[in-house]
Amino acid sequence: MRHFYIVILSSLFLFSCSGDDNTVVQLVNNVPSIPSLVFPANNLVCTNFNLEFDWGAAVDSDGDALSYTIDIATDSGFTTILFTATTTETVNTFTLEKGTTYFWRVKAIDSMGNESKYSDVQTFFTEPDAGVNTIPNAPLIISPSLGERVSGTNITLDWDATDEDNDPLTFDLYFGDTNPPVLVSENINVSTFDVTVSANTTYYWRVVVKDDKQGTTIGQIWNLRTEVP
């Protein structure tokens, strides 16, 4: 009887250990987040037909490299896509037709082939007779100068812009610690704006210049660096 129990216990021990060799570990690669559309803004009327499209970067929790597909169509269902492109940048320029309503969207794709859902769709219009109006000149930075290191918690952003037709101008300001920056104020009628900042941070800012005939010019992205107090 003693030998019989020994055999049974040994068999149970071997059986209980054998399952570990068949364990399969599957690694899951996550889908990137959905990009956010920045420019052209929804329902914007544009007289600049060589238009730069701008969107916010997506986030990939696995750290995969990202690319983006942008679609531009003449209907909200995107049954007729006029322009499409895939790029690793968060901007892309297309030459558009005047007097046209456009819809656009963007999705992110990681290096493993996973695709985000498309962004919300935004629409904009191109002016039918833009030739009668000259769009504003690109804004010029005054202060802080490009890449300047600044101190303090309150900074005044200062720029200049002109228009060949001497049309009255307003400005949309984009500012923040992300690149591209986010919209913080629309239709400003002065060329300065006060912002609150934190120390030891790089900030980015951009000015969009608009005249009273829907002429729009997108300024380049500028940056500044706040110092440690």
Side-chain angles (χ1 to χ4, degrees), residues 149-156 195-200 203 224-229:
R149 300 184 70 91
V150 298
S151 58
T153 58
N154 294 291
I155 298 171
T156 298
V195 293
T196 301
V197 296
S198 301
N200 196 31
Y203 287 95
L224 59 94
R225 177 75 180 176
T226 56
E227 296 182 334
V228 178

Side-chain angles (χ1 to χ4, degrees), residues 61-130:
S61 59
D62 304 305
D64 298 327
L66 294 177
S67 59
Y68 303 90
T69 296
I70 175 174
D71 297 331
I72 304 171
T74 53
D75 65 288
S76 59
F78 288 82
T79 56
T80 304
I81 296 178
L82 299 184
F83 304 94
T84 187
T86 299
T87 175
T88 57
E89 305 294 327
T90 58
V91 294
N92 206 84
T93 301
F94 297 94
T95 301
L96 307 175
E97 296 294 329
K98 57 176 132 179
T100 305
T101 299
Y102 289 101
F103 300 83
W104 71 294
R105 64 185 184 182
V106 177
K107 67 179 178 181
I109 309 166
D110 69 18
S111 55
M112 303 299 292
N114 295 311
E115 300 183 1
S116 74
K117 293 182 179 179
Y118 274 105
S119 65
D120 292 337
V121 175
Q122 289 190 175
T123 185
F124 65 96
F125 316 91
T126 52
E127 190 66 36
D129 52 0

Side-chain angles (χ1 to χ4, degrees), residues 128-184:
D129 52 0
V132 301
N133 179 54
T134 302
I135 64 173
N137 295 316
L140 300 175
I141 188 171
I142 296 180
S143 68
S145 59
L146 184 62
E148 183 178 346
R149 300 184 70 91
V150 298
S151 58
T153 58
N154 294 291
I155 298 171
T156 298
L157 305 176
D158 192 355
W159 63 92
D160 187 33
T162 57
D163 184 86
E164 298 295 334
D165 304 318
N166 292 318
D167 296 326
L169 300 177
T170 57
F171 310 99
D172 294 343
L173 179 70
Y174 294 76
F175 180 83
D177 58 3
T178 59
N179 188 6
V182 298
L183 178 66
V184 295

